[in-house]
């Protein structure tokens, strides 16, 4: 059984089909990149996989559970228990320190544990920056805090939205290395990206165009820096 | 390194961090609460102190209770019965007792009326009396009402011979005359009926008339409200049968009226200030929620329930309410002291109970003010954080 299954999913906004009969399977432990140009439906797909939106029709199974018909509250619980989120804009809480930002995810999930939060920061190489506020951290450091926050509750799936979109090359490499480690440890990763190089690091690439899946594992040829991937 | 933290500890850590590290944002709301709580605490202090202050103020307008003989056909009241009546009044309420013995006397065969009284006590019961010159301070001195001074062409320092005439049983034939020379120590200007009399000490009156004094009237100045005065009057009536106490309605009624109006005004101002504080806090919290939509979206994306979001924002609001309330309670007392010193010319008593009351009121106002903005916070879509806006 796949960890995530989208079956004939439609998402309609008025006359616009943001997702048009999309079917995707993601296995546990897989590293998948979802790529596509602007307006292709990447964000809509990400919202649905991340339990932040519901499809207009079709089925979405996460760990065997149909999440397409769940209430807002039930979706919140799934998001809290099973999903780790990484954002392009980092979205750290400005008035909390790095370690406190990680603990916020624990707070909503179960019990905050500062020692465990520190371990997560250590893992992303930021133990010495734990007491710093986001404004005192570089973009790369902020994204690494975001990664530590995403993995602190041992989610079944980590969803990353353009995780390197705001990073320089050096920090992009650090974040991708972290993803490699997580993948090696068996974490399921779904990365939405414009960047072909980032996409190329994934095991499998799903390409969306005009709300449809146009290729899986195939060559991609759009956007800047397009390149062939496996 | 500490281990597991309780949910409550993390909750407090988050809301205190938000208030402490976002000082500039929180300052306006906090300032509104401080101002509101200061005025609330100040005005409530004044509200409770007004009766005392007004009572003291009204004591300047003279006696608010008089004692007259219960049966006037039996002559005047004795000093003992007046003292007994006064003993029914608590010492912290009784400002003064002035007994008056009125006597018809003559100056150069012209009749006039003089009152023998305890001049020291009169100064306490009638502080509004204006004396040109000085109050009589030794035997043989007289205080002359302004009208009488004009009638008899007297001025301060003049000598005047006052004669007491002992009459026969029919009250007409003079049997014996007793002239005594007095010095005018001062002229009395009150704008009232007191200007028609001469005032001498009880001792001088006794030596002039040659008899033990009984009193026609005693004026009492009591620091109490209308109800308490009536209670005292009823008490004296039932315990001292020889005297009849009467509350001076003119004074007590106007004191009650002024008091009620002042207290209503203070209450109204307090309500208006609290309403304005609530509007200011609500506006600031609305701005805070709008400004922090992304943070709310993030918290929801991380799995925060609507209840958690409401609790966090409400917690921040209430923390500000508590801080503002505490500052306000202290500043309010200073404010009340300032008002009291400038308006009533006396200091105010600190009431510790007002500290928790002010904090509770501040919590209530901020809580109410936060309700709508906090509810709005739960409407934020968690997908907002993914849109990169």
């Amino acid at each position: 059984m796949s960890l995530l299954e989208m079956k004939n999913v439609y998402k309609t906004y008025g006359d616009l089909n943001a997702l048009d009969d999309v079917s995707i399977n993601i296995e546990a432990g897989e590293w998948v990149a979802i790529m596509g140009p602007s307006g292709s439906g990447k964000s809509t797909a990400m919202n649905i996989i991340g339990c932040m939106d519901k499809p207009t029709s079709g089925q979405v199974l996460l760990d065997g559970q149909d999440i397409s018909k769940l209430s807002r509250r039930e979706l919140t619980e799934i998001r809290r228990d099973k999903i780790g989120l990484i954002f392009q804009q980092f979205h750290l809480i400005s008035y909390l320190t790095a370690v406190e930002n990680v603990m916020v995810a624990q707070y909503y999930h179960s019990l905050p544990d500062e020692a465990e939060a520190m371990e997560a920061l250590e893992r992303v190489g930021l133990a010495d920056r734990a007491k710093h506020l986001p404004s005192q951290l570089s973009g790369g450091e902020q994204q690494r805090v975001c990664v530590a926050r995403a993995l602190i509750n041992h989610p079944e799936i980590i969803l990353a939205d353009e995780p390197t979109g705001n990073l320089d090359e050096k920090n992009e490499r650090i974040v991708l290395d972290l993803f490699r480690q997580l993948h090696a440890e068996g974490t399921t990763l779904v990365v939405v990206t414009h960047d072909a190089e980032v996409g190329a690091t994934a095991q499998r690439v799903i390409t969306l165009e005009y709300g449809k899946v146009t290729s899986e594992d195939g060559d991609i040829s759009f956007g800047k820096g397009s390149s062939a991937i496996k | 390194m500490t281990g597991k933290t309780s949910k409550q500890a993390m909750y407090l850590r988050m809301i205190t961090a938000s208030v402490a590290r976002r000082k500039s944002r929180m300052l306006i709301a906090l300032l509104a609460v401080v101002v509101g709580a200061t005025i609330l605490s100040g005005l409530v202090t004044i509200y409770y102190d007004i009766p005392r202050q007004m009572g003291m103020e009204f004591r300047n307008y003279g006696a608010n209770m008089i004692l007259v003989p219960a049966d006037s056909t039996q002559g005047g009241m004795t000093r003992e019965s007046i003292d007994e009546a006064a003993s029914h009044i608590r010492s912290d309420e009784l400002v003064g007792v002035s007994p008056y013995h009125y006597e018809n006397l003559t100056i150069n065969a012209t009749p006039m009326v003089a009152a023998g009284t305890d001049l020291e006590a009169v100064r306490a019961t009638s502080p509004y009396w204006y004396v040109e010159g000085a109050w009589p301070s030794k035997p043989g001195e007289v205080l002359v009402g302004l009208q009488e001074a004009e009638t008899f062409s007297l001025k301060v320092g003049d000598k005047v011979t006052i004669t007491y005439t002992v009459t026969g049983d029919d009250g007409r034939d003079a049997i014996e005359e007793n002239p005594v020379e007095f010095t005018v120590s001062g002229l009395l200007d009150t704008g009232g009926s007191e200007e028609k009399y001469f005032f001498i000490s009880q001792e001088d009156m006794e030596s002039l008339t040659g008899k033990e004094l009984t009193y026609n009237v005693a004026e009492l100045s009591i620091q109490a409200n209308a109800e308490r005065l009536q209670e005292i009057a009823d008490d004296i009536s039932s315990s001292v049968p020889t005297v009849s106490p009467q509350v001076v309605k003119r004074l007590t009624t106007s004191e009650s009226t002024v008091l009620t109006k002042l207290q209503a005004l203070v209450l109204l101002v307090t309500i208006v200030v609290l309403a304005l504080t609530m509007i200011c806090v609500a506006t600031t919290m609305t701005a805070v929620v709008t400004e922090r939509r992304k943070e709310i979206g993030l918290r929801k994306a991380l799995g925060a329930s609507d209840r958690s979001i409401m609790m966090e924002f409400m917690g921040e609001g209430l923390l500000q309410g508590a801080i503002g309330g505490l500052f306000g309670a202290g500043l309010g007392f200073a404010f009340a002291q300032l008002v009291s010193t400038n308006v009533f010319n006396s200091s105010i008593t600190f009431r510790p109970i007002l500290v928790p009351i002010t904090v509770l009121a501040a919590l209530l106002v901020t809580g109410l003010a936060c309700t709508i903005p906090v509810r709005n916070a739960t409407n934020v879509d968690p997908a907002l954080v993914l849109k990169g806006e």
Side-chain angles (χ1 to χ4, degrees):
Chain A
M1 186 180 65
S2 301
L3 178 65
L4 180 84
E5 276 182 77
M6 290 177 86
K7 291 182 186 172
N8 310 107
V9 168
Y10 287 83
K11 182 69 189 181
T12 312
Y13 298 105
D15 293 335
L16 178 78
N17 277 339
L19 291 181
D20 190 353
D21 195 18
V22 169
S23 294
I24 295 171
N25 274 9
I26 296 171
E27 302 300 324
E30 214 181 355
W31 180 355
V32 176
I34 298 178
M35 301 188 71
S38 290
S40 61
K42 295 193 306 290
S43 292
T44 310
M46 173 97 176
N47 283 347
I48 290 172
I49 298 170
C51 297
M52 285 178 277
D53 205 354
K54 289 196 278 192
T56 309
S57 68
Q59 226 183 7
V60 183
L61 299 174
L62 181 62
D63 215 6
Q65 184 184 10
D66 187 359
I67 58 170
S68 56
K69 304 281 187 292
L70 295 183
S71 67
R72 223 166 63 118
R73 219 181 83 188
E74 288 165 324
L75 284 176
T76 301
E77 284 167 16
I78 301 269
R79 206 158 57 228
R80 183 185 66 201
D81 297 336
K82 300 192 171 180
I83 295 164
L85 291 162
I86 297 168
F87 313 101
Q88 180 179 3
Q89 316 277 346
F90 324 134
H91 293 307
L92 296 177
I93 298 172
S94 60
Y95 54 86
L96 297 181
T97 61
V99 71
E100 285 168 342
N101 265 286
V102 178
M103 287 167 77
V104 168
Q106 293 177 310
Y107 171 75
Y108 293 123
H109 181 264
S110 49
L111 268 187
D113 185 335
E114 194 162 351
E116 206 181 316
M118 280 302 294
E119 273 171 37
L121 283 178
E122 220 166 271
R123 188 164 175 197
V124 297
L126 285 177
D128 57 332
R129 312 285 278 165
K131 302 287 179 195
H132 287 67
L133 290 171
S135 56
Q136 297 164 320
L137 301 173
S138 71
E141 287 171 329
Q142 288 189 52
Q143 190 58 299
R144 279 143 70 193
V145 176
C146 193
V147 172
R149 182 178 64 190
L151 57 87
I152 190 73
N153 294 323
H154 312 288
E156 294 188 15
I157 187 164
I158 287 185
L159 271 181
D161 178 34
E162 301 282 4
T164 57
N166 279 347
L167 302 183
D168 57 25
E169 224 171 288
K170 183 184 154 205
N171 279 300
E172 179 177 313
R173 260 201 313 279
I174 295 172
V175 169
L176 290 178
D177 280 345
L178 278 168
F179 283 3
R180 274 189 202 97
Q181 281 175 38
L182 291 171
H183 177 236
E185 289 161 13
T187 309
T188 310
L189 284 165
V190 177
V191 180
V192 172
T193 183
H194 266 98
D195 190 331
E197 273 179 50
V198 176
T201 54
Q203 261 182 314
R204 184 156 66 96
V205 175
I206 296 168
T207 311
L208 287 174
E209 268 178 274
Y210 302 110
K212 286 179 178 292
V213 176
T214 53
S215 73
E216 279 195 67
D217 286 343
D219 288 350
I220 51 166
S221 53
F222 59 83
K224 64 168 186 160
S226 59
S227 62
I229 59 166
K230 83 178 176 87
Chain B
M1 180 80 51
T2 49
K4 282 201 192 301
T5 309
S6 71
K7 282 230 173 204
Q8 289 83 352
M10 185 65 194
Y11 172 75
L12 283 177
R13 193 164 166 179
M14 286 194 297
I15 62 167
T16 46
S18 174
V19 173
R21 295 184 189 144
R22 298 171 64 252
K23 285 188 210 86
S24 56
R25 295 284 190 281
M26 293 292 178
L27 212 60
I28 294 171
L30 189 63
L31 213 61
V33 182
V34 170
V35 170
T38 300
I39 293 176
L40 170 76
S41 154
L43 289 185
V44 170
T45 307
I46 293 168
Y47 180 88
Y48 280 111
D49 221 54
I50 280 177
R52 190 179 69 84
Q53 303 272 19
M54 287 298 296
M56 281 164 66
E57 201 68 22
F58 267 83
R59 290 308 83 246
N60 291 329
Y61 297 102
N64 49 2
M65 184 183 286
I66 57 166
L67 302 178
V68 291
D71 181 359
S72 54
T73 59
Q74 299 294 311
M77 301 171 287
T78 61
R79 182 74 215 200
E80 289 72 34
S81 58
I82 292 170
D83 288 345
E84 193 190 341
S87 71
H88 287 265
I89 305 161
R90 291 204 315 261
S91 60
D92 61 323
E93 289 176 329
L94 186 61
V95 178
V97 185
S98 315
Y100 292 91
H101 170 93
Y102 290 98
E103 197 66 63
N104 292 310
L105 303 169
T106 54
I107 296 173
N108 295 331
T110 307
M112 57 81 161
V113 180
T117 185
D118 178 349
L119 289 160
E120 268 308 304
V122 171
R123 295 180 81 153
T125 52
S126 303
Y128 65 96
W129 282 16
Y130 175 71
V131 172
E132 186 193 326
W135 285 73
S137 57
K138 50 182 189 281
E141 286 189 335
V142 61
L143 179 66
V144 185
L146 213 54
Q147 282 186 30
E148 290 295 77
E150 278 170 20
T151 307
F152 292 96
S153 303
L154 294 171
K155 54 185 191 301
V156 175
D158 284 357
K159 304 276 186 202
V160 59
T161 303
I162 299 175
T163 308
Y164 171 69
T165 308
V166 182
T167 54
D169 291 342
D170 61 359
R172 285 181 163 184
D173 302 329
I175 298 169
E176 188 189 332
E177 288 189 340
N178 180 25
V180 177
E181 193 183 67
F182 282 88
T183 306
V184 177
S185 69
L187 304 180
L188 176 63
D189 181 1
T190 66
S193 58
E194 297 86 356
E195 293 184 5
K196 294 176 191 163
Y197 301 101
F198 284 68
F199 294 89
I200 57 175
S201 70
Q202 298 172 97
E203 295 73 26
D204 281 348
M205 184 60 90
E206 269 181 356
S207 59
L208 191 62
T209 59
K211 59 187 181 187
E212 193 179 335
L213 295 187
T214 57
Y215 297 92
N216 308 83
V217 66
E219 290 186 355
L220 278 71
S221 179
I222 305 165
Q223 203 176 308
N225 60 23
E227 292 87 59
R228 174 70 186 136
L229 279 176
Q230 196 52 55
E231 203 179 299
I232 293 169
D234 293 345
D235 188 21
I236 294 173
S237 266
S238 59
S239 335
V240 191
T242 51
V243 303
S244 167
Q246 286 165 16
V247 174
V248 182
K249 297 270 190 222
R250 181 172 50 88
L251 262 189
T252 53
T253 309
S254 48
E255 186 175 339
S256 299
T257 311
V258 172
L259 199 62
T260 312
K261 284 184 178 166
L262 252 180
Q263 286 191 314
L265 181 70
V266 166
L267 200 68
L268 187 74
V269 172
T270 308
I271 292 168
V272 169
V273 168
L274 285 183
L276 288 176
T277 305
M278 193 158 13
I279 292 169
C280 188
V281 174
T283 313
T284 314
M285 277 310 274
T286 304
V288 165
V289 166
T290 309
E291 189 186 88
R292 291 166 68 187
R293 281 175 76 238
K294 284 218 167 144
E295 182 196 324
I296 298 165
L298 167 78
R299 287 181 183 273
K300 291 182 96 172
L302 293 177
S305 62
D306 287 352
R307 193 170 161 272
S308 286
I309 299 285
M310 284 170 74
M311 293 270 290
E312 282 148 29
F313 278 83
M314 191 54 96
E316 284 183 24
L318 292 180
L319 184 64
Q320 288 183 70
I323 297 171
L326 270 177
F327 274 108
L331 290 173
F333 176 68
F335 165 67
Q337 193 70 273
L338 195 74
V339 170
S340 183
T341 315
N342 284 298
V343 176
F344 295 108
N345 241 338
S346 78
S347 69
I348 222 157
T349 332
F350 178 70
R351 290 168 191 270
I353 185 71
L354 277 183
V355 176
I357 288 177
T358 308
V359 173
L360 276 178
L363 286 175
L364 190 74
V365 167
T366 43
L368 279 174
C370 289
T371 309
I372 294 172
V374 165
R375 265 181 177 283
N376 291 342
T378 61
N379 295 332
V380 174
D381 181 4
L384 178 83
V385 286
L386 291 176
K387 289 178 184 154
E389 287 166 351

